[in-house]
């Protein structure tokens, strides 16, 4: 599996929003086991999770979306070795997903803006093949999602939207969903 520290741009931010080691291992193992042909990723950052998924599944083509121009340019360098197996799109994920809504994917990994998760869901559900996986990272949002009672104002919208997303995937009869307390929380939904 690829080493995060070997990537261009590693450590450029005080807070590293890349997936945590245990989530990276889980993502690698799931992609290796399932060998998805078409993967969609929301939130490229510097390309760490994209590298993991493409390394684990040799026949995959990955489409990844990143809004931040600096991160996009860094990811492009880190993902150059996967040229021909990757489509990188710079833009707002919700707008891009609306444009891609007719495409089909076997595996979708969400690690973008947390408050947008429930807005992506109707599109992603339709884009996901039967038997496909919808995996979302950071569903605990630094532990705030599990807190009973009032959440600080600056986190309230994100926390409420993540809760909305989690309730939607949990109650949707078209999904079988599990939640894992690894990293900052992961939801793993398989479309029936």
């Amino acid at each position: 599996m690829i080493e995060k520290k070997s990537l261009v741009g590693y450590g450029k931010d005080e807070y590293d929003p890349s997936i945590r080691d245990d989530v990276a291992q889980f993502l690698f193992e799931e992609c290796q086991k399932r060998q998805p042909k078409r993967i969609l990723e929301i939130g490229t950052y510097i390309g760490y999770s994209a590298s993991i998924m493409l390394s684990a599944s040799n026949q995959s083509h990955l489409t990844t979306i990143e809004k931040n121009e600096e991160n996009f340019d860094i990811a492009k360098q880190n993902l150059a070795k996967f040229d021909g197996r990757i489509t990188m799109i710079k833009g707002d994920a919700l707008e891009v997903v609306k444009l891609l809504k007719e495409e089909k994917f076997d595996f979708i990994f969400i690690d973008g803006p947390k408050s947008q998760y429930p807005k992506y869901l109707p599109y992603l559900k339709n884009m996901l093949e039967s038997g496909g996986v919808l995996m979302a990272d950071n569903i605990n949002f630094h532990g705030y999602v599990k807190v009973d009672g009032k959440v600080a104002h600056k986190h309230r919208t994100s926390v409420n939207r993540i809760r909305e997303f989690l309730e939607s995937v949990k109650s949707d009869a078209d999904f079988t969903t599990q939640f894992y307390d690894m990293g900052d929380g992961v939801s793993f939904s398989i479309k029936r």
Side-chain angles (χ1 to χ4, degrees):
M1 194 167 70
I2 193 150
E3 186 67 34
K4 188 187 318 188
K5 293 177 185 174
S6 70
L7 296 175
V8 173
Y10 173 76
K12 73 178 185 71
D13 296 317
E14 187 176 321
Y15 167 73
D16 177 18
S18 299
I19 58 174
R20 309 270 179 23
D21 292 342
D22 54 349
V23 176
Q25 185 64 42
F26 180 76
L27 182 61
F28 180 82
E29 289 170 3
E30 286 298 328
C31 284
Q32 193 171 49
K33 178 172 76 175
R34 295 173 187 282
Q35 291 296 306
K37 298 287 183 246
R38 299 201 65 217
I39 302 170
L40 175 64
E41 176 185 47
I42 295 176
T44 316
Y45 186 52
I46 62 170
Y48 179 50
S49 49
S51 297
I52 289 168
M53 291 183 281
L54 288 168
S55 296
S57 45
N58 297 329
Q59 303 303 313
S60 296
H61 184 276
L62 183 137
T63 300
T64 186
I65 306 165
E66 175 60 48
K67 185 175 183 176
N68 180 284
E69 189 167 348
E70 179 188 2
N71 293 340
F72 183 87
D73 292 340
I74 291 170
K76 205 170 189 178
Q77 293 175 62
N78 288 323
L79 298 169
K81 67 182 175 184
F82 297 108
D83 191 37
R85 294 184 54 213
I86 189 164
T87 301
M88 295 184 66
I89 301 172
K90 184 172 26 176
D92 178 84
L94 185 58
E95 296 307 312
V96 173
V97 164
K98 288 176 183 178
L99 294 174
L100 298 175
K101 67 183 177 189
E102 300 303 319
E103 297 200 30
K104 294 292 183 185
F105 296 91
D106 307 303
F107 199 102
I108 299 175
F109 180 60
I110 313 172
D111 194 18
K114 311 314 169 216
S115 63
Q116 299 297 311
Y117 283 20
K119 292 180 182 178
Y120 302 143
L121 188 57
Y123 299 100
L124 300 182
K125 180 180 174 182
N126 289 329
M127 296 164 78
L128 191 62
E129 296 279 9
S130 293
V133 170
L134 174 64
M135 181 175 165
D137 196 25
N138 304 114
I139 62 160
N140 291 336
F141 196 71
H142 314 293
Y144 291 114
V145 171
K146 292 181 174 183
V147 171
D148 288 333
K150 198 168 187 174
V151 176
H153 179 72
K154 69 179 185 174
H155 301 300
R156 195 171 302 142
T157 299
S158 293
V159 168
N160 288 337
R161 297 259 174 84
I162 292 171
R163 287 175 178 162
E164 178 185 339
F165 170 81
L166 295 175
E167 185 55 40
S168 293
V169 293
K170 186 171 80 175
S171 63
D172 191 322
D174 291 332
F175 285 122
T176 301
T177 300
Q178 293 181 289
F179 303 107
Y180 297 99
D181 273 331
M182 60 178 74
D184 191 22
V186 169
S187 70
F188 191 83
S189 304
I190 299 173
K191 187 175 179 183
R192 297 175 191 202

